[in-house]
């Protein structure tokens, strides 16, 4: 459709230039050549304001007026038609996007594309999980489209917007808008539309956590508390690879993960994992093992023999991990 209309307008202006050139050639008199006539037609159509190539009589000026009228009106009509084509193309793109989203299932919905939403989207994209972003601001949706993520432009507090994002078939929903009242309302709406999806909500004020839980959130995350705790752990124990905090009824349990190189730990050389006594003595778990050639194993076989080339990844409570390091201080 777009190319057909382009051809139509090109044909229109080609005919107009041809007719205009012939008109000036015949009405101009003996002084007008075809080149002069063509040039006069072009400067008339483009309205650049140049003077007449040769003096024109009344008939020539009348012809010039007709060329201007048909040229300007044709140009304005062309702009309006192209504008309509662009709008139709955008509507077509939007409908195509909605059709693709409507076919998704077991996907994830991210409500809000702020700093937190952007990080979550990048993580899901890198792990090849299907997801849709619901965002209210057009400029952010344009940015999301440029990246290649699927998105829905609309207010996440409105049921119809969440339905367009395929909430009824979603496996999980994360709500990370800018304020707690909106997060609470979206959480409540999302849970009413999908009773089974795992729902994670952000809260800025820690005292709003119980309200979000009551609204239907399975997990509530305070980015400031979580980030501050993580930074404190790194400050206190910079040698640890990672830390995880579990909030239980009995209190907070701090788990840590560390890498232990066995090069200088002779007591583990040739010993099977199940005979290493790491679990029995320190209540630590070997969750991974890196071989000398760089390959790795997750949840290695208890029958596997440890060697000097191995680096083991050990997880457990921070205090018990420290006891292990105190007893075997020679690891690097």
């Amino acid at each position: 459709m777009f190319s057909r209309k382009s051809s139509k307008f090109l044909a229109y202006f080609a005919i107009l230039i041809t007719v205009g050139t012939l008109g000036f050639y015949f009405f101009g008199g003996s002084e007008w050549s075809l080149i002069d006539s063509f040039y006069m037609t072009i400067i008339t159509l483009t309205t650049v304001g140049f003077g007449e190539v040769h003096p024109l009589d009344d008939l020539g000026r009348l012809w010039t007026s007709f060329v201007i009228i048909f040229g300007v009106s044709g140009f304005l009509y062309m702009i309006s038609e192209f504008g309509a084509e662009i709008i139709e193309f955008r509507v077509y793109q939007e409908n195509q996007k909605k059709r693709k989203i409507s076919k998704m299932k077991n996907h994830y919905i991210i409500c809000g594309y702020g700093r937190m939403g952007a990080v979550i989207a990048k993580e899901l994209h890198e792990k090849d999980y299907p997801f849709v972003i619901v965002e209210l601001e057009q400029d952010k949706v344009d940015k999301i489209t440029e990246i290649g993520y699927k998105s829905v432009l609309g207010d996440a507090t409105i049921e119809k917007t969440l339905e367009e994002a395929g909430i009824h078939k979603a496996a999980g929903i994360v709500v990370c808008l800018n304020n707690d009242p909106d997060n609470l309302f979206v959480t409540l709406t999302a849970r009413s539309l999908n009773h089974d999806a795992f729902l994670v909500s952000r809260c800025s004020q820690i005292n709003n956590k119980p309200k979000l839980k009551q609204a239907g959130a399975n997990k509530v995350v305070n980015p400031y508390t979580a980030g501050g705790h993580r930074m404190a752990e790194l400050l206190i124990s910079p040698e640890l690879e990672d830390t995880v905090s579990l909030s239980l009824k009995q209190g907070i349990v701090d788990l840590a993960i560390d890498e232990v190189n066995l090069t200088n730990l002779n007591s583990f050389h040739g010993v099977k994992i199940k005979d290493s006594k790491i679990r029995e003595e320190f209540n630590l778990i070997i969750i991974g093992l890196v071989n000398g050639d760089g390959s790795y194993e997750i949840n290695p076989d208890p029958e596997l023999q440890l060697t000097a080339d191995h680096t083991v990844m050990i997880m457990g409570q921070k205090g018990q991990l420290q006891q292990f390091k105190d007893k075997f201080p020679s690891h690097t």
Side-chain angles (χ1 to χ4, degrees):
M1 183 187 295
F2 190 82
S3 60
R4 222 172 27 241
K5 287 194 175 182
S6 299
S7 301
K8 182 176 70 174
F9 286 119
L10 287 174
Y12 173 82
F13 282 104
I15 294 171
L16 185 60
I17 291 171
T18 301
V19 173
T21 300
L22 293 175
F24 282 117
Y25 182 72
F26 287 112
F27 297 141
S30 59
E31 294 182 346
W32 288 77
S33 66
L34 284 175
I35 296 298
D36 292 336
S37 302
F38 175 78
Y39 179 68
M40 186 64 187
T41 303
I42 295 300
I43 64 175
T44 301
L45 288 174
T46 56
T47 64
V48 294
F50 291 171
E52 298 168 358
V53 177
H54 298 292
L56 291 169
D57 57 15
D58 291 341
L59 185 59
R61 288 173 181 168
L62 184 62
W63 180 253
T64 303
S65 300
F66 278 112
V67 171
I68 292 174
I69 291 171
F70 281 99
V72 172
S73 59
F75 182 71
L76 293 176
Y77 181 71
M78 179 182 68
I79 292 177
S80 65
E81 285 293 308
F82 282 171
E85 282 292 322
I86 292 172
I87 293 173
E88 288 179 12
F89 183 67
R90 287 183 176 177
V91 172
Y92 171 77
Q93 283 185 315
E94 190 65 27
N95 290 335
Q96 283 288 93
K97 184 170 67 173
K98 288 181 179 180
R99 278 193 287 270
K100 289 180 181 179
I101 293 174
S102 66
K103 295 178 181 179
M104 296 177 68
K105 59 182 179 179
N106 295 325
H107 61 289
Y108 298 92
I109 298 175
I110 303 172
C111 297
Y113 192 72
R115 286 175 292 182
M116 193 172 186
V119 172
I120 296 169
K122 183 180 179 182
E123 187 82 10
L124 293 177
H125 176 70
E126 290 177 349
K127 295 181 178 179
D128 202 27
Y129 286 106
F131 65 92
V132 178
I133 301 170
V134 177
E135 176 53 51
L136 182 59
E137 298 181 19
Q138 181 65 60
D139 58 337
K140 289 186 178 180
V141 171
D142 292 339
K143 183 179 179 181
I144 293 167
T145 303
E146 288 178 8
I147 297 173
Y149 301 159
K150 291 182 177 67
S151 64
V152 172
L153 174 63
D155 189 346
T157 62
I158 300 175
E159 288 188 13
K160 183 180 178 182
T161 305
L162 294 176
E163 288 172 350
E164 288 180 0
I167 191 169
H168 296 296
K169 296 183 286 185
I173 306 155
V174 58
V175 185
C176 47
L177 302 180
N178 292 328
N179 59 78
D180 286 356
D182 284 346
N183 288 328
L184 179 62
F185 193 84
V186 174
T187 298
L188 187 63
T189 305
R191 181 53 74 204
S192 69
L193 295 173
N194 189 325
H195 301 291
D196 301 320
F198 193 84
L199 202 158
V200 182
S201 183
R202 166 186 171 170
C203 76
S204 300
Q205 302 294 328
I206 196 65
N207 57 330
N208 289 327
K209 184 175 180 178
K211 300 175 186 176
L212 288 161
K213 284 273 192 178
Q214 291 175 2
N218 298 100
K219 293 289 183 180
V220 179
V221 177
N222 184 305
Y224 307 108
T225 301
H229 178 78
R230 170 69 174 146
M231 294 176 72
E233 290 296 326
L234 291 174
L235 182 66
I236 296 169
S237 305
E239 74 283 354
L240 295 181
E241 289 296 318
D242 202 357
T243 59
V244 179
S245 293
L246 300 178
S247 297
L248 305 176
K249 291 183 179 180
Q250 294 81 4
I252 296 177
V253 177
D254 287 326
L255 298 179
I257 301 173
D258 201 358
E259 291 185 355
V260 178
N261 190 297
L262 301 183
T263 301
N264 299 322
L265 298 182
N266 299 330
S267 57
F268 291 105
H269 298 174
V271 177
K272 295 181 180 180
I273 290 178
K274 69 175 185 178
D275 298 327
S276 64
K277 305 299 182 182
I278 292 176
R279 179 169 184 167
E280 290 78 4
E281 291 186 22
F282 303 98
N283 200 25
L284 300 174
I285 304 172
I286 296 178
I287 60 172
L289 185 145
V290 181
N291 299 307
D293 59 2
S295 61
Y296 63 90
E297 298 178 48
I298 302 299
N299 191 23
D301 190 335
E303 295 290 335
L304 189 144
Q305 282 192 349
L306 300 173
T307 69
D309 293 331
H310 283 145
T311 296
V312 293
M313 290 177 281
I314 301 178
M315 183 179 73
Q317 292 190 41
K318 287 179 58 181
Q320 293 162 328
L321 187 59
Q322 187 59 48
Q323 290 178 15
F324 177 84
K325 292 163 67 177
D326 290 340
K327 183 171 181 179
F328 301 100
S330 59
H331 71 275
T332 58

